[in-house]
Amino acid sequence: MSLSHALLTALAEKSGSGLDLARRFDKSIGHFWQASHQQIYRELARLEETGLIHAKAQPGARGGKRVYQLLPAGQDELRNWVPQADQIAPTRDAMMVRLRAEATLGPTGLAPALHRRLAGHRTTLAEYRAIQARDFPKPPPSRQQALQGLVLEAGIRHEEGWIELLKDALKLLESDP
Amino acid sequence: MSLSHALLTALAEKSGSGLDLARRFDKSIGHFWQASHQQIYRELARLEETGLIHAKAQPGARGGKRVYQLLPAGQDELRNWVPQADQIAPTRDAMMVRLRAEATLGPTGLAPALHRRLAGHRTTLAEYRAIQARDFPKPPPSRQQALQGLVLEAGIRHEEGWIELLKDALKLLESDP
DNA sequence: CATAACATGTAATGAGTTACATGATTAA
DNA sequence: TTAATCATGTAACTCATTACATGTTATG
């Protein structure tokens, strides 16, 4: 399980409350590791129990806000975890199943779903490109920026790949309905 | 949940026993929808209860072999499901988290893990290309072949994308250790 | 003081993983 | 007849999702 390590990574970048982290997961980190706020709160509680992170209650802040920060033990744990190998996570996408079902069942009216999906990937791609233009000048000023830029670049290529695939699929379906 | 529909799709392509399906999931379908044999048996039992598939016990066959086939109700269900939209499944890959952790923590010895992973993607890519060369002549002889070939093509591009990313990451890490 | 937004959680359920259990058939 | 392989399953556990519950603070 790596939600814990995704959280440690996020806290290594910047301290924050559970909701802060949930929001950051929605934006940057969540593009490759998603988590609901319920998961995040549960995992933060666990990490604090284990002594890897620590929460300071903020007296001035809203709600019962608890701002977590990474402890040295947490950084050690993260440092240990990073170079470990995990098995390759296979893609798992229902659209592939749908395409394959369409292939054997014959026309099933899949095209509109492909169009919606295409629009979604185009939106995400535009977001990524905006982030890239705003936050990642090239050449990158630092090793850190270069690596973070690379991760973003991977996201961009992923979206581009999907867009190409969907366009090809639509061409096929619409030429021969 | 789409395991059930992945199974219906597999049975639409060809009838088979639980173990047959588990093996086909390991090869073709499993490249984009994985399932263990335990999941598959459980789900097949459920689908039979619902009346979407039917098992014939094979008297001549090994063990208590039960060969499942798609029933008309199952085909209807599948036909209904195909054109439905699902939200885009975001990527979820620990390597992205590792890269990002490496970015903020500084050198952590990630390179060997990247090399191993690169080798894995190269192997998978070679498999896909072999399947493509063997089973997918071009131009494709039928609409069905064209669509199935497209799904395979998506897998190929996905592997190629990872290979490029990993090579770039290694270049970065090794130039500036 | 009402309400919107902030902030943290619980409970129930479902999906997925790991480890183990059981029996049938074939080939040595 | 014993070992390997084929074949189907159970049990226990972890992880993820969905829906709901609760309390706080700033703003009009």
Side-chain angles (χ1 to χ4, degrees), chain B residues 1 34 54 58 74 81 88-89 94-96 98 101 118 123 151 161:
Chain B
M1 216 274 296
Q34 322 76 47
H54 174 72
Q58 303 282 87
W81 173 79
I88 296 175
M95 188 56 83
M96 297 292 201
R98 291 180 210 273
L118 184 55
T123 303
V151 172

Side-chain angles (χ1 to χ4, degrees), chain A residues 13 31-32 34 79 81-82 84 86 91-94 96 98 100 102 105 143 157 168 176, chain B residues 13 31-32 34 79 81-82 84 86 91-92 94 96 98 100 102 104-105 143 157 168 176:
Chain A
E13 292 172 355
H31 288 312
F32 49 86
Q34 321 76 47
R79 223 173 242 292
W81 174 79
V82 170
Q84 283 171 27
D86 36 23
T91 43
R92 171 171 277 198
D93 200 301
M96 298 291 202
R98 292 180 209 273
R100 190 134 165 177
E102 159 91 25
L105 292 188
R143 175 191 150 97
R157 290 185 203 162
D168 289 351
D176 179 18
Chain B
E13 292 173 354
H31 288 312
F32 48 86
Q34 322 76 47
R79 224 173 242 291
W81 173 79
V82 171
Q84 284 172 27
D86 36 23
T91 44
R92 169 173 279 199
M96 297 292 201
R98 291 180 210 273
R100 192 136 164 174
E102 159 91 25
T104 63
L105 292 189
R143 174 190 149 100
R157 290 184 203 161
D168 289 350
D176 180 18

Side-chain angles (χ1 to χ4, degrees), chain A residues 18-19 22 35-42:
Chain A
L19 199 55
S36 60
H37 77 272
Q38 293 89 339
Q39 268 179 284
I40 289 172
Y41 283 122
R42 200 201 315 151

Side-chain angles (χ1 to χ4, degrees), chain A:
Chain A
M1 216 273 297
S2 330
L3 172 55
S4 52
H5 296 98
L7 286 169
L8 291 176
T9 301
L11 289 175
E13 292 172 355
K14 192 167 189 305
S15 298
S17 70
L19 199 55
D20 289 340
L21 289 165
R23 274 196 277 255
R24 275 156 66 189
F25 267 65
D26 272 348
K27 284 186 296 180
S28 56
I29 299 183
H31 288 312
F32 49 86
W33 202 279
Q34 321 76 47
S36 60
H37 77 272
Q38 293 89 339
Q39 268 179 284
I40 289 172
Y41 283 122
R42 200 201 315 151
E43 201 58 40
L44 285 173
R46 245 179 251 169
L47 288 170
E48 185 167 31
E49 250 179 54
T50 327
L52 300 182
I53 63 176
H54 176 71
K56 277 191 283 201
Q58 302 282 87
R62 280 187 157 228
K65 189 168 184 172
R66 301 160 56 72
V67 173
Y68 288 96
Q69 60 182 15
L70 193 62
L71 291 178
Q75 204 182 74
D76 290 347
E77 166 58 31
L78 193 54
R79 223 173 242 292
N80 262 325
W81 174 79
V82 170
Q84 283 171 27
D86 36 23
Q87 49 208 38
I88 297 174
T91 43
R92 171 171 277 198
D93 200 301
M95 188 56 84
M96 298 291 202
V97 180
R98 292 180 209 273
L99 280 168
R100 190 134 165 177
E102 159 91 25
T104 64
L105 292 188
T108 56
L110 183 53
L114 291 173
H115 275 294
R116 275 194 295 279
R117 173 112 187 205
L118 184 54
H121 284 294
R122 282 188 167 135
T123 303
T124 306
L125 178 58
E127 279 172 38
Y128 287 178
R129 283 212 219 270
I131 295 173
Q132 194 179 43
R134 196 186 59 224
D135 299 339
F136 293 92
K138 42 181 178 178
S142 66
R143 175 191 150 97
Q144 178 174 8
Q145 278 271 305
L147 276 168
Q148 285 180 356
L150 197 66
V151 172
L152 181 60
E153 181 73 27
I156 288 176
R157 290 185 203 162
H158 182 251
E159 297 305 318
E160 286 173 342
W162 263 103
I163 288 170
E164 282 315 301
L165 171 72
L166 291 166
K167 277 162 60 179
D168 289 351
L170 279 166
K171 220 178 291 174
L172 250 171
L173 290 188
E174 284 168 351
S175 75
D176 179 18

